[in-house]
Amino acid sequence: MIANDHNLGSDVPLKNPDRNVSSFAMQLKYAQGTEAIESKPSDGVGSHLNLENETMGRTSDIEDDVFDNLENMFKALGLCMMEIGLCLARICDMAIGGNELEQSLLESCAAKGRLIHYHSMVDSLVLREAGPKKGSSKRNANNHARSKENLLKGANLDTNGNEVRLREIHPNLWQQWHFDYGIFTLLTDPMFLLSSHRTTVKSEFSNSSGQECASPSGHSYLQVFHPNKNKVLMVKASPESFIVQVGESADILSKGKLRSTLHCVRRPARFENLSRETFVVFLQPAWSKTFSISDYPMEHYNPSVHHLEQAEDHYFADQDQNALTQEIQKIVPPLSARLKDGMTFAEFSRETTKQYYGGSGLQSNK
């Protein structure tokens, strides 16, 4: 596989045919770790990162094969996005006081870059058909019919390929509602591919091809929930721009001055052959970072009652939005259920993953 050949290791169980996404990850390291914290923040871009010419992958070094320099190009992009995150942390620190955010990023010494392919419905059907066959042909045919029905309704898997245990499922989502639990998440403006295909699974799997196309609506299909307005907003970004989302760790470290972003990724309706591609860099504290909630706003810590009161105020104005708010509350476990005073980031991330997706909550080591 091309991604594996260029050190983009999979952190999604690719044997799972029900997954909504295929994700390939790489570790991105700061050139300086905790030693950089002891000196004052630098004014120069790229000072914390190992931006050597070899890593940057200059255009003149790219060979005829467009994939020959794939690893270097993604490293260069990821390191650039890390520097943007550091600059943003520095700006936020100046606004809220102290240097908690930048220091926390540098203490982590590394970030995770993830190349994410959001499957078209056709992709997902092909994966199911290409997967291992068990049982009778009649049973397989019934499973295939149910699979297609579930895909049309919207599958319920997170980016890591885990099945989300929900009481209600919102249809037509590539990715369910959730908070990122790091400090910042930086994303490229997504690219959309429209695949051409034939009618048989065999020819689909071997001859499908993707052609870049514009977003059907002009939006990114990333949706965010505005808690104060009780509304869902679609994110629109200009081409070649970056999108930055605030994670729960930034919310906690800033004592609520920065608000984490509740978000999902919607699948466009009536575009069964459309896939979505994006490159994401997750910036987080060191695993040993300890959280204190002594000065954290209680309405952020346990927002369910606060948001429910707001929802009731808006009930007669917009019953559909009120229903969505209540549905999201069933899907997303409150911070108070996942974070206790004195927890490390490792403990918080493990508990968050466990409550979202079940299991041990252990994160990928890749």
Side-chain angles (χ1 to χ4, degrees):
M1 183 175 287
I2 291 172
N4 287 333
D5 289 343
H6 293 272
N7 294 320
L8 288 167
S10 173
D11 61 351
V12 167
L14 297 181
K15 292 182 179 180
N16 179 5
D18 296 328
R19 67 187 188 276
N20 265 349
V21 302
S22 293
S23 175
F24 300 90
M26 64 164 59
Q27 284 284 356
L28 301 166
K29 296 184 178 181
Y30 296 99
Q32 301 170 339
T34 54
E35 295 177 1
I37 303 167
E38 298 175 359
S39 61
K40 69 176 184 178
S42 169
D43 296 328
V45 174
S47 59
H48 295 299
L49 306 176
N50 185 16
L51 299 177
E52 297 176 355
N53 290 339
E54 180 182 357
T55 301
M56 290 300 292
R58 292 178 175 177
T59 305
S60 59
D61 295 332
I62 298 177
E63 300 179 11
D64 292 337
D65 187 336
V66 294
F67 296 113
D68 281 352
N69 210 36
L70 186 65
E71 179 183 355
N72 285 340
M73 287 190 291
F74 275 118
K75 279 185 177 179
L77 176 60
L79 293 172
C80 174
M81 294 165 74
M82 289 170 71
E83 183 65 24
I84 292 173
L86 278 173
C87 291
L88 180 60
R90 194 174 306 141
I91 292 170
C92 291
D93 281 338
M94 288 190 292
I96 64 181
N99 66 336
E100 184 77 9
L101 296 175
E102 184 182 12
Q103 178 175 335
S104 296
L105 290 180
L106 291 171
E107 284 177 340
S108 71
C109 300
K112 176 178 280 191
R114 184 176 285 149
L115 179 62
I116 303 177
H117 167 69
Y118 293 84
H119 297 174
S120 68
M121 290 186 179
V122 172
D123 287 341
S124 298
L125 288 172
V126 169
L127 285 170
R128 282 177 176 268
E129 284 298 309
K133 304 294 190 301
K134 295 182 179 180
S136 66
S137 58
K138 182 178 180 180
R139 185 184 305 164
N140 288 332
N142 291 336
N143 289 339
H144 174 70
R146 284 194 297 269
S147 297
K148 186 172 183 179
E149 181 181 358
N150 289 335
L151 285 167
L152 292 174
K153 288 181 178 178
N156 188 33
L157 299 171
D158 81 307
T159 305
N160 290 321
N162 302 306
E163 184 176 356
V164 187
R165 300 181 300 176
L166 311 178
R167 283 177 280 178
E168 293 184 35
I169 300 171
H170 199 280
N172 300 323
L173 294 184
W174 260 317
Q175 191 173 14
Q176 266 292 351
W177 288 99
H178 67 285
F179 291 100
D180 291 342
Y181 51 76
I183 292 180
F184 295 134
T185 304
L186 283 86
L187 312 91
T188 59
D189 185 50
M191 177 177 69
F192 295 89
L193 297 179
L194 195 62
S195 64
S196 59
H197 67 286
R198 300 178 185 176
T199 55
T200 66
V201 171
K202 183 177 180 181
S203 64
E204 168 71 32
F205 189 76
S206 58
N207 294 324
S208 63
S209 60
Q211 181 177 359
E212 185 175 353
C213 65
S215 166
S217 66
H219 293 88
S220 66
Y221 287 91
L222 172 67
Q223 292 186 322
V224 298
F225 183 76
H226 195 305
N228 294 332
K229 295 184 178 180
N230 192 40
K231 288 184 177 181
V232 174
L233 307 174
M234 186 79 84
V235 176
K236 184 175 183 179
S238 59
E240 301 182 2
S241 62
F242 294 110
I243 300 169
V244 181
Q245 293 183 164
V246 176
E248 289 181 308
S249 292
D251 196 326
I252 298 163
L253 293 172
S254 69
K255 304 188 184 304
K257 295 182 176 66
L258 297 177
R259 295 298 304 273
S260 52
T261 311
L262 178 62
H263 61 282
C264 69
V265 181
R266 175 168 290 277
R267 187 196 297 269
R270 300 183 301 278
F271 286 89
E272 294 186 2
N273 298 345
L274 191 72
S275 63
R276 183 180 186 269
E277 324 298 325
T278 189
F279 184 69
V280 185
V281 173
F282 297 92
L283 303 179
Q284 62 188 41
W287 295 111
S288 59
K289 180 70 177 180
T290 301
F291 290 140
S292 171
I293 58 173
S294 58
D295 296 326
Y296 189 72
M298 285 299 103
E299 63 269 22
H300 297 186
Y301 185 60
N302 190 10
S304 57
V305 175
H306 177 67
H307 287 171
L308 186 57
E309 291 173 350
Q310 287 188 320
E312 289 172 349
D313 291 341
H314 291 282
Y315 181 79
F316 295 104
D318 195 336
Q319 294 189 25
D320 290 338
Q321 285 297 140
N322 179 68
L324 177 60
T325 300
Q326 294 185 5
E327 180 181 336
I328 291 174
Q329 289 174 359
K330 296 175 183 178
I331 293 171
V332 181
L335 186 62
S336 58
R338 298 177 283 116
L339 176 68
K340 305 302 178 185
D341 193 47
M343 263 190 173
T344 64
F345 175 67
E347 293 168 334
F348 171 58
S349 65
R350 185 180 298 115
E351 186 62 30
T352 295
T353 306
K354 181 178 180 180
Q355 292 203 28
Y356 270 115
Y357 313 125
S360 67
L362 296 176
Q363 297 297 293
S364 169
N365 292 322
K366 293 185 177 180

